[in-house]
Amino acid sequence: MQQITFKEVDLLTNLRRRISDLNLPQVQEEDKCLVRWLRARNHSLDAAEAMIRQNQLWIRAMNLDLLVLEGDPDSYANNFPWYFFGNDKDGNPGAISRGEMSLCKKSSIKRMELIWRCCQRKSLGKPIMGQAVLIIDMAGLSFSQVTSYEATQLVIQVCRISEQNYPEMLRMGFVINAPTAFRLCYKILHHVLDKNTFSKITVLGSDPAVWRKEIGAMVAFSQFPKKYGGDGDNNLKMGFECD
């Protein structure tokens, strides 16, 4: 994330006063955390406050502390695994997800929450909040899995949930092994996603040399696996805790 500006410092003081009745945990009231909501709503205090209040209702409704402790179905662990893989050049966490379009919404939310908690841990003692670098591997997804109405709606719903509840969490997303059909669906997202979020997503094909160039511009080669174009270890642990 960019450094907090002097203008934002004044806005954050007002925003913190407005939401004081929520009694948020101290970490959520820190400038580096609150500024995400301001930026997501173009520095409108009214819109940022409304966004935070809605997020608190959503957190309670989802019971996130319980959700992150739930195990994924065996079929997900075997067919749609995900991993933390190291850090980018600024110390932000990286995560890899496979078969994302085939997940249920609940599992996608769980992954987002765990990645967000990792970003928070990586940011302890730092002046700005960490953001995640994501690699989404679409290898093996069929035409119907990519283009079905259900898959398209899931992607739209998950993107909206991310924007509404995890603002500024994404630093950059790389979609690899993207079939031609996905590129058509991706155009739909252009009309759904916030422009800032959309600009952070790069859709790549199946050439590891291209992955190495694109991902390597942000992540040291030693930090991401060889099978994704880096020089790092391919034997990754399922992503429930980041280092």
Side-chain angles (χ1 to χ4, degrees):
M1 284 180 65
Q2 294 180 342
Q3 295 286 345
I4 296 172
T5 67
F6 289 115
K7 176 185 176 181
E8 288 174 333
V9 170
D10 290 337
L11 290 172
L12 287 167
T13 299
N14 289 327
L15 180 59
R16 190 176 293 105
R17 184 175 62 250
R18 285 182 175 218
I19 61 171
S20 60
D21 61 296
L22 294 176
N23 296 314
L24 297 178
Q26 183 177 354
V27 66
Q28 293 185 31
E29 289 195 346
E30 292 180 354
D31 284 356
K32 64 184 178 183
C33 190
L34 283 183
V35 75
R36 301 177 303 118
W37 307 99
L38 274 176
R39 291 175 179 175
R41 289 297 179 262
N42 297 314
H43 296 93
S44 166
L45 280 172
D46 289 341
E49 178 187 354
M51 190 179 185
I52 292 171
R53 291 185 181 280
Q54 186 59 43
N55 169 255
Q56 291 302 300
L57 294 174
W58 179 80
I59 288 174
R60 288 195 290 272
M62 290 301 303
N63 199 354
L64 293 177
D65 286 337
L66 179 60
L67 177 62
V68 297
L69 295 176
E70 292 182 2
D72 287 329
D74 289 341
S75 59
Y76 283 9
N78 295 330
N79 299 314
F80 315 120
W82 72 292
Y83 317 89
F84 286 113
F85 66 83
N87 306 311
D88 71 4
K89 294 176 181 179
D90 292 324
N92 295 299
I96 297 169
S97 180
R98 289 180 53 198
E100 193 73 26
M101 295 184 74
S102 299
L103 289 173
C104 69
K105 183 169 66 175
K106 186 176 179 181
S107 291
S108 294
I109 292 172
K110 175 183 174 180
R111 294 185 179 191
M112 284 189 285
E113 178 64 17
L114 286 169
I115 291 171
W116 165 237
R117 294 185 182 200
C118 182
C119 288
Q120 289 181 297
R121 288 197 293 276
K122 294 283 188 179
S123 302
L124 290 175
K126 297 181 180 179
I128 58 176
M129 184 61 68
Q131 296 173 291
V133 175
L134 304 182
I135 299 175
I136 300 175
D137 185 358
M138 303 189 70
L141 292 183
S142 67
F143 179 86
S144 61
Q145 286 177 306
V146 173
T147 61
S148 71
Y149 174 81
E150 292 78 9
T152 302
Q153 288 301 303
L154 172 63
V155 171
I156 291 173
Q157 289 177 31
V158 169
C159 287
R160 285 176 173 165
I161 289 171
S162 176
E163 290 182 341
Q164 292 166 2
N165 297 285
Y166 299 98
E168 297 293 315
M169 184 176 76
L170 179 66
R171 185 180 188 195
M172 185 63 69
F174 300 96
V175 182
I176 66 173
N177 289 314
T180 302
F182 176 78
R183 294 174 184 271
L184 298 176
C185 296
Y186 182 66
K187 293 181 179 179
I188 298 174
L189 295 180
H190 178 69
H191 304 287
V192 176
L193 286 176
D194 172 80
K195 290 182 179 179
N196 183 49
T197 302
F198 190 82
S199 69
K200 296 178 180 180
I201 300 174
T202 300
V203 181
L204 306 175
S206 56
D207 186 349
V210 174
W211 307 345
R212 183 176 177 86
K213 177 182 177 181
E214 295 290 338
I215 301 173
M218 186 164 290
V219 183
F221 296 130
S222 63
Q223 290 290 303
F224 64 103
K226 292 182 176 66
K227 61 184 176 183
Y228 292 113
D231 297 331
D233 192 351
N234 284 329
N235 297 317
L236 302 174
K237 295 180 180 180
M238 286 287 288
F240 296 100
E241 293 289 342
C242 63
D243 295 331

